[in-house]
Amino acid sequence: MHNIMKIGIDILGVDEPSRIINFVNGYKDNEVELYVYGLEENLKQIIKTENIIKNVCTEEVLMSDDAARVHRKKKDASMIRMLADLNNDVIDVAISGGSTGAFMASSLFMLGRIEGISKPGLASLLPTRSEHKFLFTDLGANVEAKPDDLLNYAKLGQLYMKYIYNIETPSVALLNVGIEESKGNKVYKEAHKLLKEDIANFKGNIEAREILEHKYDIVIADGFAGNILLKSIEGVASSLGKMIKGIFLENIITKISALLVKSGISKFKKKFDYSEYGGAFLLGIKKPSIKVHGSADENALYYAVQQAKQIHKTKLYDICLLYTSDAADERSSV
């Protein structure tokens, strides 16, 4: 089993653990060993044995748990056991659909920040009108950010797009209430100044209404604005889908019309299906952990594992560690 990737999956904390169990039972990839963490009753339902390592746990991280202390209070919880194995190099990447707060806090405390990063950001690829995607961060890891944090999101985001998608100098924009440099609060004005000085191919501010036009490769924001934007996009896409469906079901003529544009509607639905984009990952910690929706199905898990494979194969997190370490050396020599 040479060069087998070891990817951890937390069964617990999701809406329907059976979906993850079904994914594991049906997953086939000779490049990957799945390390599955859950209660004994969950793991008994996994009948596939090839490239599957079961890890029986006795506790579960609940939404009501204190996110900042759960890594100390529930050391035998599936999420915590998985992150401990990631920290100890038993696995290469960790995937969970459990409590976002607990997963982010536990990843931060157990895996550690890379040098020079005070607040890691939650990042994900988002769809656009075209076939291209853009990287967006922060999705909600930090509701308050300093200008330096936004600068770091841009730097780490550029490393991601460069090494995962081979874009030599990815373009960067700052989400703001207007495109002029003078727009925004004190944090955003100062962040704009830092980005303009330090980021190659920084394009300035972008308004939310242009976010899906694919003008830039990376868009950054603080976690408060980022989380609201993400949920707005998901909500609008869902509502539009329902409205379109309602229109085509009005009468016999619209139903016939629906048949003629069925493929186009399917493409629209697929483009804005979050399960097609894997998960959100923490940029700025030492090892890769990926957060999927609590309602993640087999499709979402498949793309999250593919994302984990990409990150591991390109050694993205090792590159981030080297980059920030070199940057720190430069600062100390000045």
Side-chain angles (χ1 to χ4, degrees), residues 4 44 50 83 116 120 138-139 143 149 163 186 198 204 211 225 227 232 240 248 250 258 269 272 284 292 321:
I4 292 285
K44 282 181 178 178
E50 186 181 359
L83 290 174
D138 176 21
L139 298 176
V143 294
D149 297 321
Y163 288 97
K186 185 178 179 181
D198 291 356
I211 206 86
N227 192 264
S232 296
L240 278 175
F248 281 118
E250 284 183 355
K269 185 178 179 181
F272 289 96
V292 295
L321 278 167

PDB file of all heavy atoms in Angstrom, residues 4 44 50 83 116 120 138-139 143 149 163 186 198 204 211 225 227 232 240 248 250 258 269 272 284 292 321:
ATOM      1  N   ILE A   4      -0.453   5.449  -0.016  1.00  0.00           N
ATOM      2  CA  ILE A   4      -1.893   5.489   0.261  1.00  0.00           C
ATOM      3  C   ILE A   4      -2.196   6.717   1.108  1.00  0.00           C
ATOM      4  O   ILE A   4      -1.548   6.971   2.124  1.00  0.00           O
ATOM      5  CB  ILE A   4      -2.335   4.217   1.016  1.00  0.00           C
ATOM      6  CG1 ILE A   4      -2.219   2.999   0.102  1.00  0.00           C
ATOM      7  CG2 ILE A   4      -3.749   4.364   1.546  1.00  0.00           C
ATOM      8  CD1 ILE A   4      -3.296   2.909  -0.948  1.00  0.00           C
ATOM      9  N   LYS A  44     -20.683  -0.620  13.199  1.00  0.00           N
ATOM     10  CA  LYS A  44     -21.173  -1.963  12.862  1.00  0.00           C
ATOM     11  C   LYS A  44     -21.908  -1.979  11.529  1.00  0.00           C
ATOM     12  O   LYS A  44     -22.019  -3.023  10.882  1.00  0.00           O
ATOM     13  CB  LYS A  44     -22.103  -2.464  13.970  1.00  0.00           C
ATOM     14  CG  LYS A  44     -21.380  -2.976  15.206  1.00  0.00           C
ATOM     15  CD  LYS A  44     -22.368  -3.481  16.243  1.00  0.00           C
ATOM     16  CE  LYS A  44     -21.636  -4.040  17.462  1.00  0.00           C
ATOM     17  NZ  LYS A  44     -22.592  -4.502  18.514  1.00  0.00           N
ATOM     18  N   GLU A  50     -12.291  -3.345   2.785  1.00  0.00           N
ATOM     19  CA  GLU A  50     -11.090  -2.965   2.050  1.00  0.00           C
ATOM     20  C   GLU A  50     -10.804  -1.475   2.207  1.00  0.00           C
ATOM     21  O   GLU A  50     -11.653  -0.625   1.941  1.00  0.00           O
ATOM     22  CB  GLU A  50     -11.267  -3.294   0.563  1.00  0.00           C
ATOM     23  CG  GLU A  50     -10.011  -3.056  -0.256  1.00  0.00           C
ATOM     24  CD  GLU A  50     -10.225  -3.378  -1.727  1.00  0.00           C
ATOM     25  OE1 GLU A  50     -11.337  -3.808  -2.095  1.00  0.00           O
ATOM     26  OE2 GLU A  50      -9.279  -3.185  -2.503  1.00  0.00           O
ATOM     27  N   LEU A  83      -9.097  14.469  15.080  1.00  0.00           N
ATOM     28  CA  LEU A  83      -8.140  15.580  15.035  1.00  0.00           C
ATOM     29  C   LEU A  83      -6.839  15.218  15.756  1.00  0.00           C
ATOM     30  O   LEU A  83      -5.763  15.648  15.347  1.00  0.00           O
ATOM     31  CB  LEU A  83      -8.763  16.839  15.632  1.00  0.00           C
ATOM     32  CG  LEU A  83      -9.879  17.481  14.798  1.00  0.00           C
ATOM     33  CD1 LEU A  83     -10.531  18.636  15.562  1.00  0.00           C
ATOM     34  CD2 LEU A  83      -9.355  17.970  13.447  1.00  0.00           C
ATOM     35  N   GLY A 116       2.794  33.451  12.083  1.00  0.00           N
ATOM     36  CA  GLY A 116       2.381  34.722  11.505  1.00  0.00           C
ATOM     37  C   GLY A 116       0.885  34.864  11.275  1.00  0.00           C
ATOM     38  O   GLY A 116       0.406  35.930  10.877  1.00  0.00           O
ATOM     39  N   PRO A 120      -6.921  32.030  11.733  1.00  0.00           N
ATOM     40  CA  PRO A 120      -7.183  31.249  10.516  1.00  0.00           C
ATOM     41  C   PRO A 120      -8.578  31.532   9.969  1.00  0.00           C
ATOM     42  O   PRO A 120      -9.501  31.821  10.728  1.00  0.00           O
ATOM     43  CB  PRO A 120      -7.066  29.800  11.002  1.00  0.00           C
ATOM     44  CG  PRO A 120      -6.178  29.889  12.201  1.00  0.00           C
ATOM     45  CD  PRO A 120      -6.545  31.183  12.867  1.00  0.00           C
ATOM     46  N   ASP A 138     -13.190  35.044   4.588  1.00  0.00           N
ATOM     47  CA  ASP A 138     -13.532  34.067   5.592  1.00  0.00           C
ATOM     48  C   ASP A 138     -15.044  33.831   5.589  1.00  0.00           C
ATOM     49  O   ASP A 138     -15.817  34.779   5.507  1.00  0.00           O
ATOM     50  CB  ASP A 138     -13.056  34.590   6.940  1.00  0.00           C
ATOM     51  CG  ASP A 138     -13.418  33.745   8.124  1.00  0.00           C
ATOM     52  OD1 ASP A 138     -13.694  32.560   7.969  1.00  0.00           O
ATOM     53  OD2 ASP A 138     -13.438  34.289   9.243  1.00  0.00           O
ATOM     54  N   LEU A 139     -15.433  32.570   5.713  1.00  0.00           N
ATOM     55  CA  LEU A 139     -16.843  32.203   5.662  1.00  0.00           C
ATOM     56  C   LEU A 139     -17.519  32.262   7.029  1.00  0.00           C
ATOM     57  O   LEU A 139     -18.712  32.023   7.127  1.00  0.00           O
ATOM     58  CB  LEU A 139     -16.991  30.787   5.107  1.00  0.00           C
ATOM     59  CG  LEU A 139     -16.493  30.566   3.683  1.00  0.00           C
ATOM     60  CD1 LEU A 139     -16.615  29.099   3.312  1.00  0.00           C
ATOM     61  CD2 LEU A 139     -17.283  31.419   2.714  1.00  0.00           C
ATOM     62  N   VAL A 143     -15.784  36.495  13.259  1.00  0.00           N
ATOM     63  CA  VAL A 143     -16.737  37.561  12.934  1.00  0.00           C
ATOM     64  C   VAL A 143     -16.087  38.935  13.015  1.00  0.00           C
ATOM     65  O   VAL A 143     -16.578  39.901  12.432  1.00  0.00           O
ATOM     66  CB  VAL A 143     -17.982  37.511  13.845  1.00  0.00           C
ATOM     67  CG1 VAL A 143     -18.771  36.247  13.585  1.00  0.00           C
ATOM     68  CG2 VAL A 143     -17.605  37.612  15.316  1.00  0.00           C
ATOM     69  N   ASP A 149      -5.347  40.375   9.285  1.00  0.00           N
ATOM     70  CA  ASP A 149      -6.008  39.094   9.047  1.00  0.00           C
ATOM     71  C   ASP A 149      -6.484  39.003   7.601  1.00  0.00           C
ATOM     72  O   ASP A 149      -6.312  37.969   6.936  1.00  0.00           O
ATOM     73  CB  ASP A 149      -7.200  38.919   9.990  1.00  0.00           C
ATOM     74  CG  ASP A 149      -6.786  38.886  11.455  1.00  0.00           C
ATOM     75  OD1 ASP A 149      -5.735  38.291  11.752  1.00  0.00           O
ATOM     76  OD2 ASP A 149      -7.508  39.443  12.288  1.00  0.00           O
ATOM     77  N   TYR A 163      -1.336  26.606  -6.289  1.00  0.00           N
ATOM     78  CA  TYR A 163      -0.873  25.220  -6.253  1.00  0.00           C
ATOM     79  C   TYR A 163      -1.985  24.201  -6.512  1.00  0.00           C
ATOM     80  O   TYR A 163      -1.695  23.081  -6.930  1.00  0.00           O
ATOM     81  CB  TYR A 163      -0.175  24.934  -4.915  1.00  0.00           C
ATOM     82  CG  TYR A 163       1.162  25.620  -4.842  1.00  0.00           C
ATOM     83  CD1 TYR A 163       1.303  26.853  -4.190  1.00  0.00           C
ATOM     84  CD2 TYR A 163       2.273  25.078  -5.472  1.00  0.00           C
ATOM     85  CE1 TYR A 163       2.527  27.510  -4.158  1.00  0.00           C
ATOM     86  CE2 TYR A 163       3.500  25.723  -5.442  1.00  0.00           C
ATOM     87  CZ  TYR A 163       3.622  26.938  -4.783  1.00  0.00           C
ATOM     88  OH  TYR A 163       4.833  27.589  -4.758  1.00  0.00           O
ATOM     89  N   LYS A 186     -13.147  51.464   9.220  1.00  0.00           N
ATOM     90  CA  LYS A 186     -11.711  51.665   9.439  1.00  0.00           C
ATOM     91  C   LYS A 186     -10.899  50.418   9.096  1.00  0.00           C
ATOM     92  O   LYS A 186      -9.819  50.513   8.480  1.00  0.00           O
ATOM     93  CB  LYS A 186     -11.471  52.059  10.897  1.00  0.00           C
ATOM     94  CG  LYS A 186     -10.029  52.406  11.218  1.00  0.00           C
ATOM     95  CD  LYS A 186      -9.883  52.841  12.672  1.00  0.00           C
ATOM     96  CE  LYS A 186      -8.424  53.163  12.998  1.00  0.00           C
ATOM     97  NZ  LYS A 186      -8.268  53.574  14.420  1.00  0.00           N
ATOM     98  N   ASP A 198       0.931  45.048  -0.633  1.00  0.00           N
ATOM     99  CA  ASP A 198       1.598  43.756  -0.464  1.00  0.00           C
ATOM    100  C   ASP A 198       1.133  42.638  -1.393  1.00  0.00           C
ATOM    101  O   ASP A 198       1.828  41.621  -1.514  1.00  0.00           O
ATOM    102  CB  ASP A 198       1.408  43.264   0.984  1.00  0.00           C
ATOM    103  CG  ASP A 198       2.176  44.112   1.982  1.00  0.00           C
ATOM    104  OD1 ASP A 198       2.901  45.028   1.542  1.00  0.00           O
ATOM    105  OD2 ASP A 198       2.054  43.864   3.195  1.00  0.00           O
ATOM    106  N   GLY A 204      -8.656  45.654  -5.977  1.00  0.00           N
ATOM    107  CA  GLY A 204      -9.476  46.633  -5.270  1.00  0.00           C
ATOM    108  C   GLY A 204     -10.733  46.019  -4.683  1.00  0.00           C
ATOM    109  O   GLY A 204     -10.822  44.814  -4.452  1.00  0.00           O
ATOM    110  N   ILE A 211     -20.435  39.501  -7.149  1.00  0.00           N
ATOM    111  CA  ILE A 211     -19.639  38.391  -6.634  1.00  0.00           C
ATOM    112  C   ILE A 211     -19.696  37.144  -7.517  1.00  0.00           C
ATOM    113  O   ILE A 211     -18.755  36.366  -7.580  1.00  0.00           O
ATOM    114  CB  ILE A 211     -20.088  38.055  -5.186  1.00  0.00           C
ATOM    115  CG1 ILE A 211     -18.941  37.399  -4.401  1.00  0.00           C
ATOM    116  CG2 ILE A 211     -21.322  37.191  -5.148  1.00  0.00           C
ATOM    117  CD1 ILE A 211     -18.014  38.321  -3.740  1.00  0.00           C
ATOM    118  N   ALA A 225     -19.311  39.371   7.518  1.00  0.00           N
ATOM    119  CA  ALA A 225     -19.823  39.662   6.169  1.00  0.00           C
ATOM    120  C   ALA A 225     -19.789  38.414   5.297  1.00  0.00           C
ATOM    121  O   ALA A 225     -20.710  38.157   4.515  1.00  0.00           O
ATOM    122  CB  ALA A 225     -18.998  40.780   5.530  1.00  0.00           C
ATOM    123  N   ASN A 227     -19.988  35.180   6.114  1.00  0.00           N
ATOM    124  CA  ASN A 227     -21.017  34.191   6.431  1.00  0.00           C
ATOM    125  C   ASN A 227     -22.389  34.635   5.941  1.00  0.00           C
ATOM    126  O   ASN A 227     -23.167  33.838   5.418  1.00  0.00           O
ATOM    127  CB  ASN A 227     -21.051  33.935   7.940  1.00  0.00           C
ATOM    128  CG  ASN A 227     -21.892  32.728   8.298  1.00  0.00           C
ATOM    129  OD1 ASN A 227     -23.059  32.868   8.642  1.00  0.00           O
ATOM    130  ND2 ASN A 227     -21.298  31.554   8.219  1.00  0.00           N
ATOM    131  N   SER A 232     -26.656  33.998   2.034  1.00  0.00           N
ATOM    132  CA  SER A 232     -27.533  34.713   1.102  1.00  0.00           C
ATOM    133  C   SER A 232     -27.508  34.049  -0.270  1.00  0.00           C
ATOM    134  O   SER A 232     -28.546  33.858  -0.902  1.00  0.00           O
ATOM    135  CB  SER A 232     -27.109  36.174   0.980  1.00  0.00           C
ATOM    136  OG  SER A 232     -27.253  36.860   2.208  1.00  0.00           O
ATOM    137  N   LEU A 240     -34.807  30.685  -5.836  1.00  0.00           N
ATOM    138  CA  LEU A 240     -34.970  30.778  -7.283  1.00  0.00           C
ATOM    139  C   LEU A 240     -35.366  29.435  -7.886  1.00  0.00           C
ATOM    140  O   LEU A 240     -36.229  29.356  -8.763  1.00  0.00           O
ATOM    141  CB  LEU A 240     -33.673  31.278  -7.936  1.00  0.00           C
ATOM    142  CG  LEU A 240     -33.437  32.780  -7.940  1.00  0.00           C
ATOM    143  CD1 LEU A 240     -32.060  33.089  -8.518  1.00  0.00           C
ATOM    144  CD2 LEU A 240     -34.512  33.505  -8.746  1.00  0.00           C
ATOM    145  N   PHE A 248     -43.173  26.585 -13.758  1.00  0.00           N
ATOM    146  CA  PHE A 248     -43.345  25.551 -14.776  1.00  0.00           C
ATOM    147  C   PHE A 248     -44.455  24.544 -14.439  1.00  0.00           C
ATOM    148  O   PHE A 248     -44.834  23.745 -15.277  1.00  0.00           O
ATOM    149  CB  PHE A 248     -42.023  24.813 -15.006  1.00  0.00           C
ATOM    150  CG  PHE A 248     -41.064  25.568 -15.881  1.00  0.00           C
ATOM    151  CD1 PHE A 248     -39.836  25.971 -15.390  1.00  0.00           C
ATOM    152  CD2 PHE A 248     -41.396  25.885 -17.186  1.00  0.00           C
ATOM    153  CE1 PHE A 248     -38.939  26.679 -16.198  1.00  0.00           C
ATOM    154  CE2 PHE A 248     -40.520  26.585 -18.001  1.00  0.00           C
ATOM    155  CZ  PHE A 248     -39.291  26.991 -17.508  1.00  0.00           C
ATOM    156  N   GLU A 250     -47.471  25.542 -13.370  1.00  0.00           N
ATOM    157  CA  GLU A 250     -48.730  26.289 -13.313  1.00  0.00           C
ATOM    158  C   GLU A 250     -49.835  25.662 -14.159  1.00  0.00           C
ATOM    159  O   GLU A 250     -50.990  25.588 -13.746  1.00  0.00           O
ATOM    160  CB  GLU A 250     -48.491  27.736 -13.753  1.00  0.00           C
ATOM    161  CG  GLU A 250     -47.798  28.574 -12.681  1.00  0.00           C
ATOM    162  CD  GLU A 250     -47.628  30.021 -13.108  1.00  0.00           C
ATOM    163  OE1 GLU A 250     -47.973  30.342 -14.274  1.00  0.00           O
ATOM    164  OE2 GLU A 250     -47.159  30.834 -12.286  1.00  0.00           O
ATOM    165  N   ALA A 258     -41.453  23.140 -19.664  1.00  0.00           N
ATOM    166  CA  ALA A 258     -40.426  22.672 -18.721  1.00  0.00           C
ATOM    167  C   ALA A 258     -39.607  21.528 -19.311  1.00  0.00           C
ATOM    168  O   ALA A 258     -38.404  21.428 -19.083  1.00  0.00           O
ATOM    169  CB  ALA A 258     -41.076  22.237 -17.416  1.00  0.00           C
ATOM    170  N   LYS A 269     -29.328  23.998 -11.280  1.00  0.00           N
ATOM    171  CA  LYS A 269     -29.411  23.358  -9.973  1.00  0.00           C
ATOM    172  C   LYS A 269     -28.059  22.784  -9.556  1.00  0.00           C
ATOM    173  O   LYS A 269     -27.631  22.924  -8.402  1.00  0.00           O
ATOM    174  CB  LYS A 269     -30.461  22.253 -10.013  1.00  0.00           C
ATOM    175  CG  LYS A 269     -30.710  21.591  -8.670  1.00  0.00           C
ATOM    176  CD  LYS A 269     -31.803  20.547  -8.778  1.00  0.00           C
ATOM    177  CE  LYS A 269     -32.028  19.867  -7.428  1.00  0.00           C
ATOM    178  NZ  LYS A 269     -33.080  18.814  -7.512  1.00  0.00           N
ATOM    179  N   PHE A 272     -25.339  25.469  -8.446  1.00  0.00           N
ATOM    180  CA  PHE A 272     -25.481  26.076  -7.126  1.00  0.00           C
ATOM    181  C   PHE A 272     -25.776  25.049  -6.029  1.00  0.00           C
ATOM    182  O   PHE A 272     -26.297  25.390  -4.981  1.00  0.00           O
ATOM    183  CB  PHE A 272     -26.576  27.156  -7.162  1.00  0.00           C
ATOM    184  CG  PHE A 272     -26.149  28.372  -7.926  1.00  0.00           C
ATOM    185  CD1 PHE A 272     -26.501  28.525  -9.261  1.00  0.00           C
ATOM    186  CD2 PHE A 272     -25.363  29.339  -7.338  1.00  0.00           C
ATOM    187  CE1 PHE A 272     -26.083  29.637  -9.981  1.00  0.00           C
ATOM    188  CE2 PHE A 272     -24.938  30.448  -8.056  1.00  0.00           C
ATOM    189  CZ  PHE A 272     -25.295  30.599  -9.372  1.00  0.00           C
ATOM    190  N   GLY A 284      -4.637  28.511   7.451  1.00  0.00           N
ATOM    191  CA  GLY A 284      -3.876  29.165   8.508  1.00  0.00           C
ATOM    192  C   GLY A 284      -3.539  28.253   9.664  1.00  0.00           C
ATOM    193  O   GLY A 284      -2.855  28.653  10.597  1.00  0.00           O
ATOM    194  N   VAL A 292     -17.727  19.956   6.268  1.00  0.00           N
ATOM    195  CA  VAL A 292     -18.837  19.819   5.333  1.00  0.00           C
ATOM    196  C   VAL A 292     -20.134  20.178   6.051  1.00  0.00           C
ATOM    197  O   VAL A 292     -20.188  20.239   7.284  1.00  0.00           O
ATOM    198  CB  VAL A 292     -18.928  18.387   4.746  1.00  0.00           C
ATOM    199  CG1 VAL A 292     -17.710  18.077   3.899  1.00  0.00           C
ATOM    200  CG2 VAL A 292     -19.102  17.345   5.846  1.00  0.00           C
ATOM    201  N   LEU A 321       3.202  26.493   5.327  1.00  0.00           N
ATOM    202  CA  LEU A 321       4.126  26.537   6.461  1.00  0.00           C
ATOM    203  C   LEU A 321       5.470  27.120   6.052  1.00  0.00           C
ATOM    204  O   LEU A 321       6.039  27.972   6.745  1.00  0.00           O
ATOM    205  CB  LEU A 321       4.329  25.135   7.032  1.00  0.00           C
ATOM    206  CG  LEU A 321       3.265  24.614   7.998  1.00  0.00           C
ATOM    207  CD1 LEU A 321       3.432  23.115   8.213  1.00  0.00           C
ATOM    208  CD2 LEU A 321       3.346  25.344   9.326  1.00  0.00           C
TER     209      LEU A 321
END
